[in-house]
Amino acid sequence: MSDEGGTGEPLSDSQKREIAVWFLSNAPAGEIHYVAKDVRALLGDDAVYEAAAAEAFPEYNKARLVSLELPDRSGDIIITAYGEIDKNNYLDPRTAQVASIDHMKQTCTKLRPAEDEELPSAYIEEFRCALDVELSKYVAEAYPKGTCAVYCTSGKDIEGPGADFCFAAVISATKRSPQNFCNGSWRSIWTMEFNYELQFVDIKGNIQVDAHYFEEGNVQLDTNIDRKDSTIMQSPDDCAVSITSIIRHHESEYLSSLEESYLNLSDATFKDLRRKLPVTRTLFPWHNTLAVSLTRDLAKQLALGK
């Protein structure tokens, strides 16, 4: 990182930091520490690296929905903007605790009980908790190493029926197998707007799938898709069942479409990446060129072999 564009002019510390932040922020799922080790070695400047890491790690953890075990082993917390109290403290709505996070080490350092103003009212919590229970059942079935959380993003102080409120349901699942040269993650965020007047719940989702295979090469999958749906506003338990069923349907449908595209990969995509066979569907007989009529004709005209 000493030259810029081959001009021979040295990069400033600010430029080095920006480049380092880019590499760290774009590290594949579960691989930021490997990238960080190489970036630090390339920089050769601990001060610049520390500045870049302090900027990149928190954003990476939030963007990747990194899941960390709570210090008291009561569960996992997802690092997401929906639960962010400040840069280093995040709410776990399920246990009503706030965890302090060491972003660069990706660990929880301590816990404290959440304060009243950080939690939703009893009325909103009834809806949130019911959805969290149903969503947890689904995630446990669909994602063996998945975690989820439900946050109230608007209207958390509502004490009873008569007003609108919003939730965000976050699902994070990772598959790390560096010994087999592959890592991957599934991230989905579902937002819900509860409209009391219309007795209607508007649902929007975004699903992101990342995979990295790096045995003797470097192949990455980075795909995302948006989904929309709706349901009738009912009791907390009925709403939870209906919303979870909608999420299950859309995620299963998208997973099936990905699997189908993989099945077609060898017959379609890979064939477009290599030289196609002749119309005879056979390889050119380089070992016996005389078998080709054009070769025989040329040999006859040129009197080859005489």
Side-chain angles (χ1 to χ4, degrees):
M1 292 189 180
S2 61
D3 293 339
E4 182 179 16
T7 63
E9 297 179 4
L11 294 171
S12 67
D13 286 350
S14 177
Q15 290 172 319
K16 291 179 182 179
R17 181 185 57 77
E18 289 179 4
I19 294 171
V21 167
W22 187 91
F23 276 104
L24 292 169
S25 300
N26 288 277
E31 298 177 36
I32 189 170
H33 286 110
Y34 299 113
V35 175
K37 182 179 179 180
D38 291 338
V39 167
R40 187 168 202 158
L42 288 170
L43 283 173
D45 188 322
D46 286 349
V48 174
Y49 168 78
E50 293 295 339
E55 179 180 346
F57 268 86
E59 295 305 316
Y60 178 90
N61 291 339
K62 286 189 291 184
R64 296 285 178 171
L65 301 180
V66 172
S67 175
L68 304 175
E69 185 178 29
L70 294 172
D72 61 358
R73 300 183 181 276
S74 60
D76 296 322
I77 184 171
I78 298 176
I79 309 305
T80 170
Y82 295 110
E84 187 174 24
I85 304 297
D86 56 46
K87 185 177 180 180
N88 297 312
N89 293 283
Y90 292 81
L91 172 69
D92 177 37
R94 184 175 299 145
T95 62
Q97 298 181 99
V98 173
S100 295
I101 306 299
D102 185 324
H103 284 286
M104 283 188 274
K105 292 182 179 179
Q106 292 185 330
T107 59
C108 294
T109 57
K110 62 181 180 180
L111 286 173
R112 67 166 174 82
E115 299 176 2
D116 289 343
E117 58 269 21
E118 296 169 337
L119 299 172
S121 66
Y123 171 73
I124 297 298
E125 178 62 16
E126 190 175 1
F127 280 90
R128 193 212 64 78
C129 185
L131 179 57
D132 184 62
V133 169
E134 291 298 322
L135 194 67
S136 295
K137 293 177 185 177
Y138 158 62
V139 171
E141 296 171 3
Y143 308 103
K145 294 185 178 181
T147 55
C148 66
V150 180
Y151 303 86
C152 178
T153 58
S154 176
K156 69 177 183 178
D157 296 327
I158 296 172
E159 297 292 342
D164 302 341
F165 56 93
C166 300
F167 286 169
V170 179
I171 299 173
S172 175
T174 58
K175 176 67 174 179
R176 298 177 184 175
S177 187
Q179 70 275 14
N180 294 315
F181 307 101
C182 61
N183 294 298
S185 70
W186 174 288
R187 293 167 283 156
S188 56
I189 297 176
W190 297 89
T191 58
M192 290 133 267
E193 296 181 8
F194 292 76
N195 189 307
Y196 179 80
E197 183 179 356
L198 299 177
Q199 290 293 288
F200 187 80
V201 184
D202 186 47
I203 303 170
K204 296 179 182 178
N206 175 261
I207 304 171
Q208 294 179 283
V209 182
D210 302 308
H212 184 210
Y213 182 77
F214 49 96
E215 183 176 15
E216 298 182 358
N218 183 18
V219 180
Q220 294 194 52
L221 167 73
D222 185 358
T223 180
N224 71 85
I225 194 170
D226 294 324
R227 286 287 186 261
K228 290 184 179 181
D229 214 314
S230 61
T231 187
I232 299 171
M233 188 171 176
Q234 307 168 76
S235 68
D237 290 339
D238 290 338
C239 264
V241 171
S242 179
I243 292 171
T244 302
S245 296
I246 288 171
I247 293 174
R248 182 194 300 269
H249 166 72
H250 285 292
E251 294 195 347
S252 299
E253 185 178 64
Y254 185 52
L255 183 59
S256 296
S257 71
L258 287 176
E259 291 176 341
E260 184 178 350
S261 67
Y262 294 150
L263 292 175
N264 295 329
L265 209 58
S266 60
D267 292 332
T269 307
F270 282 160
K271 286 184 178 179
D272 291 335
L273 295 176
R274 64 176 174 82
R275 183 181 300 163
K276 290 181 171 60
L277 291 173
V279 292
T280 59
R281 307 281 304 170
T282 58
L283 294 174
F284 188 87
W286 293 107
H287 62 285
N288 183 18
T289 58
L290 291 176
V292 182
S293 61
L294 178 61
T295 304
R296 292 198 302 269
D297 294 341
L298 287 173
K300 185 183 298 182
Q301 291 181 23
L302 298 174
L304 295 177
K306 292 185 179 180

